[in-house]
Amino acid sequence: MFLRRVASKLPQSARFFCSTGNRDLSNAIAELNKEMESIFGEPPPSSFSGAIENQDAIDEPCSIPPKDTGNDLTMPMLTHVSKEGEAKMVDISCKGVSHRVAVASCKVILGRKVFDLVSANEMGKGDVLGVAKIAGICGAKQTSTIIPLCHNINLTHVRVDLALNPKDLSVEIEGEASARGETGVEMEALAAVTVAGLTVYDMCKAASKDIRITDVKLEWKTGGKSGDWSREK
């Protein structure tokens, strides 16, 4: 409301002071402050002038979040949250291109009855592990569609492996995604194993509703500014 009042009362030349660019920005702000003080009898709120002065910093593309390295501690900032606290898609245009690989895993606990049916390939819907494998590959390729702030990545390889584990009557799933680009493929690997696990559930749910999908996790990744990472065993 305050800004609309200002714009309606200022002369035309003052309203468009920013058209001169950054060269005379400080002088233009000072002149505008004087103009508003003469109209309203008081200087403008400090938040208004501060917002103008900091506009370039707010609009700066591909900004890298600051890190607090005091006391030898690194505190990463949330990259998907703007300065206004709103969700945003990270600008990766200034990041370097590198080969990126990520491996994720999960487990589907079947129980004795379902495990025996899957082992014998006697589920009514067909080949559980074969269908889940294809579903996992499709899931990795659709990650940016189902996860709102993920970038659309040109994947160069996706691998999904499923194996029956008789010790805990489960299906162990491992997924790998790779690409050459500006951002990592961790979400693609995680999507692959998650969708594969959900498909196992869907293929087997007629035989049991007690199936559990557990331990969805990233195992390791490589590439990018953060370099290599591996889960401690």
Side-chain angles (χ1 to χ4, degrees):
M1 179 65 71
F2 179 79
L3 296 179
R4 286 198 290 269
R5 289 170 56 201
V6 172
S8 64
K9 294 178 179 293
L10 290 179
Q12 190 73 13
S13 59
R15 294 183 203 176
F16 296 96
F17 73 95
C18 61
S19 62
T20 59
N22 295 329
R23 294 171 301 174
D24 301 316
L25 183 59
S26 298
N27 292 335
I29 293 174
E31 293 176 5
L32 179 60
N33 289 342
K34 292 180 180 179
E35 193 76 37
M36 288 191 290
E37 185 173 1
S38 65
I39 294 173
F40 297 105
E42 58 182 10
S46 58
S47 59
F48 171 66
S49 59
I52 297 176
E53 292 170 357
N54 293 329
Q55 184 173 2
D56 288 342
I58 294 174
D59 295 338
E60 183 181 357
C62 197
S63 58
I64 299 175
K67 292 184 179 181
D68 182 5
T69 57
N71 297 325
D72 297 325
L73 295 177
T74 300
M75 301 179 64
M77 306 297 289
L78 295 176
T79 59
H80 287 71
V81 179
S82 68
K83 294 183 178 180
E84 292 76 24
E86 299 175 346
K88 69 173 184 177
M89 190 173 188
V90 177
D91 184 355
I92 61 172
S93 59
C94 68
K95 297 179 68 175
V97 174
S98 66
H99 182 59
R100 301 169 185 263
V101 182
V103 172
S105 66
C106 79
K107 182 177 290 191
V108 185
I109 309 297
L110 300 176
R112 171 56 64 184
K113 176 184 177 181
V114 177
F115 184 87
D116 290 343
L117 289 172
V118 174
S119 299
N121 197 16
E122 294 179 352
M123 291 300 302
K125 284 191 174 183
D127 181 6
V128 174
L129 303 187
V131 174
K133 180 184 183 75
I134 299 301
I137 294 173
C138 292
K141 294 162 63 177
Q142 294 297 319
T143 302
S144 63
T145 301
I146 59 179
I147 308 296
L149 301 182
C150 281
H151 294 83
N152 188 3
I153 297 176
N154 292 321
L155 294 171
T156 57
H157 175 68
V158 178
R159 171 182 61 83
V160 179
D161 293 329
L162 299 93
L164 292 168
N165 185 344
K167 293 182 179 180
D168 58 3
L169 305 175
S170 70
V171 179
E172 295 181 343
I173 306 175
E174 182 177 89
E176 176 182 347
S178 61
R180 182 168 179 80
E182 297 86 357
T183 191
V185 290
E186 293 95 324
M187 293 306 302
E188 283 69 21
L190 287 164
V193 298
T194 303
V195 172
L198 287 168
T199 302
V200 170
Y201 187 98
D202 177 64
M203 297 285 288
C204 302
K205 67 180 185 291
S208 174
K209 300 295 190 293
D210 194 36
I211 300 169
R212 291 177 289 125
I213 302 172
T214 67
D215 300 321
V216 180
K217 58 184 181 294
L218 181 68
E219 296 290 353
W220 61 268
K221 56 83 63 178
T222 186
K225 183 178 180 181
S226 61
D228 298 346
W229 179 88
S230 179
R231 182 173 298 280
E232 295 182 0
K233 300 298 183 181

